[in-house]
C-alpha cells in the first residue's frame, strides 16, 4: 500500500470515528432540541414495532464494510459501495451473491459511500475524501469526476438526484450542499473528465452555532416532483427542507420523534424512511405540507440491522445496508460476521 493510500485510509477512519463520536456526544441535547409537537392526526406511532430482518444479498470479501446502496430504476439491479476499499458491487434480483462491478481502488478511490443511479444510466459514487465520480453503467467507464475545492475540512457524505438529473451532495463538515447539473456533467465529460464541486446551498446559518469541526449534514433525498430536498442533521436530530425554486431553507416540524443519528433517507410520495445508524433503528414518517412537517408513523429497532447506514425501496421491498462498522471497521474493534450482507426488512 502506498504512503498516499495509507494516509487516506487514516483520514477515512478518523472521519468515521468523528461522525460517530459527534452523534453520540450530542444525543441528550439533540433529544431536548427535537421538535416534538402535536401531530396533525391523533393516532400514535407504532414505536419499536416488530420487523423481520433477513439477508437478501451477500457481498464477497472480508473487509467490505458497505455504506451506500442504489437501485437502477430500469433493471432493478442494486449497487453497493464499500466504505473501506472503494469497491462497488452489483446485486441482481434472483441471485443471492453480488459481484464486483468496480474493483477496489478504481480511479484512485479508496472509499465509496453515497451511491445513486440516474435515469440517464449513470452511477454516481461519492468519495468522502475527494468528491464524487460518475460512471456509465453499460461500459463501467468513468464519465467525469467532481472534486471538493478549498482547504477547509470536508466530508462528502451522501447525494440525491432530482427528476431532471441534477445531483445534490451533502458535506458533513462544511454544512453545505453541492450541486452538479446535467450540463455540468456533459461539460466535464468533454473537457478532461474533471471539474470542481460548486456549492449550491450553505446551511451554516440555519443550523445555528456549532463547533468548527461539528458533524452535521448526512442523508439527503429529493421530492419526486423536483420541488424540494430533505436533508438530516444527524447530531442534532433535525430535518431540513430546501426549496429548489426559491432557495429557502427551513427546519421541518417533526411530530412524535426526532431523527437523531439519521443517516440514509428515502422519500417515496409522502412517506419518508430514515435510517438511524448507531441505534440500529429505522423510522417511517408521513410528510405533510409539501415537506414542511412530518409525523412519525412507525419505528423498528433491531440489533440484526448491524449498524445500518442507508436503505433503498425497490420493487416494493425495503433493502438495508448492514455496515458492521463496529466490528473491526471504522467504529470499533472486533470481528465482522462474514459475509457482509444487504438485508431485506419487512414491517417498516
Amino acid at each position: 500500500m502506498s504512503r498516499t493510500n495509507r494516509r487516506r485510509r487514516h483520514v477515512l477512519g478518523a472521519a468515521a470515528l468523528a461522525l460517530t463520536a459527534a452523534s453520540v456526544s450530542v444525543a441528550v441535547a439533540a433529544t431536548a432540541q427535537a421538535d416534538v409537537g402535536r401531530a396533525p392526526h391523533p393516532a400514535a406511532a407504532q414505536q419499536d414495532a416488530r420487523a423481520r430482518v433477513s439477508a437478501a444479498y451477500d457481498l464477497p470479501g472480508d473487509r467490505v464494510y458497505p455504506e451506500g446502496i442504489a437501485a437502477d430504476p430500469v433493471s432493478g439491479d442494486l449497487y453497493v459501495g464499500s466504505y473501506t476499499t472503494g469497491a462497488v458491487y452489483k446485486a441482481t434480483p434472483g441471485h443471492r451473491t453480488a459481484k464486483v462491478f468496480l474493483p477496489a481502488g478504481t480511479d484512485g478511490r479508496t472509499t465509496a459511500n453515497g451511491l445513486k443511479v440516474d435515469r440517464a444510466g449513470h452511477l454516481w459514487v461519492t468519495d468522502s475524501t475527494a468528491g464524487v465520480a460518475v460512471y456509465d453503467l453499460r461500459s463501467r467507464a468513468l464519465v467525469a469526476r467532481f472534486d471538493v475545492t478549498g482547504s477547509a475540512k470536508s466530508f462528502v457524505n451522501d447525494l440525491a438526484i432530482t427528476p431532471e438529473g441534477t445531483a445534490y451532495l451533502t458535506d458533513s463538515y462544511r454544512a453545505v450542499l453541492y450541486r452538479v447539473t446535467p450540463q455540468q456533467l456533459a461539460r466535464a465529460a468533454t473537457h478532461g473528465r474533471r471539474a470542481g464541486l460548486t456549492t449550491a446551498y450553505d446551511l451554516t446559518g440555519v443550523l445555528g452555532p456549532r463547533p468548527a469541526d461539528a458533524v452535521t449534514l448526512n442523508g439527503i433525498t429529493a421530492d419526486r416532483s423536483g420541488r424540494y430536498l430533505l436533508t438530516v442533521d444527524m447530531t442534532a436530530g433535525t430535518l431540513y427542507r430546501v426549496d429548489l425554486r426559491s432557495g429557502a431553507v427551513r427546519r421541518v416540524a417533526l411530530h412524535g420523534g426526532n431523527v437523531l443519528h439519521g443517516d440514509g433517507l428515502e422519500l417515496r410520495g409522502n412517506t419518508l424512511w430514515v435510517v438511524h445508524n448507531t441505534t440500529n433503528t429505522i423510522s417511517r414518517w408521513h410528510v405533510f405540507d409539501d415537506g414542511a412537517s412530518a409525523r412519525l408513523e412507525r419505528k423498528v429497532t433491531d440489533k440484526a440491522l448491524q449498524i445500518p447506514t442507508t436503505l433503498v425501496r425497490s420493487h416494493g421491498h425495503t433493502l438495508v445496508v448492514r455496515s458492521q462498522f463496529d466490528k473491526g471497521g471504522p467504529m470499533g474493534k472486533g470481528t465482522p460476521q462474514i459475509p457482509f450482507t444487504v438485508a431485506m426488512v419487512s414491517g417498516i
Side-chain angles (χ1 to χ4, degrees), residues 260-283:
L260 187 63
H261 308 296
D263 203 326
L265 307 179
E266 178 87 340
L267 179 64
R268 293 294 182 94
N270 291 323
T271 302
L272 173 69
W273 289 266
V274 180
V275 170
H276 307 250
N277 50 34
T278 59
T279 56
N280 290 310
T281 299
I282 301 173
S283 60

Side-chain angles (χ1 to χ4, degrees), residues 83-114:
Y83 182 80
T84 52
T85 72
V88 175
Y89 301 87
K90 180 179 179 180
T92 303
H95 298 269
R96 176 60 180 261
T97 302
K99 297 182 178 180
V100 174
F101 182 74
L102 297 172
T106 298
D107 300 306
R109 287 184 300 97
T110 57
T111 185
N113 34 312

Side-chain angles (χ1 to χ4, degrees), residues 9 12 63-66 81-87 110-112 325 328-330:
R9 183 69 56 82
L12 283 174
R63 296 290 300 172
V64 178
Y65 295 103
S82 168
Y83 182 80
T84 52
T85 72
T110 57
T111 185
F325 278 179

Side-chain angles (χ1 to χ4, degrees), residues 39-125:
H41 299 285
Q46 298 183 46
Q47 301 288 338
D48 297 318
R50 290 184 176 274
R52 183 170 181 269
V53 182
S54 59
Y57 298 101
D58 297 340
L59 305 173
D62 59 3
R63 296 290 300 172
V64 178
Y65 295 103
E67 209 278 349
I69 188 170
D72 184 340
V74 177
S75 68
D77 292 336
L78 299 169
Y79 297 87
V80 184
S82 168
Y83 182 80
T84 52
T85 72
V88 175
Y89 301 87
K90 180 179 179 180
T92 303
H95 298 269
R96 176 60 180 261
T97 302
K99 297 182 178 180
V100 174
F101 182 74
L102 297 172
T106 298
D107 300 306
R109 287 184 300 97
T110 57
T111 185
N113 34 312
L115 274 71
K116 282 293 183 294
V117 175
D118 66 22
R119 296 179 180 179
H122 298 130
L123 173 66
W124 296 68
V125 181

Side-chain angles (χ1 to χ4, degrees), residues 150-166:
S151 59
K153 192 174 184 179
S154 173
F155 191 99
V156 184
N157 202 320
D158 204 356
L159 76 157
I161 300 178
T162 61
E164 95 285 356
T166 295

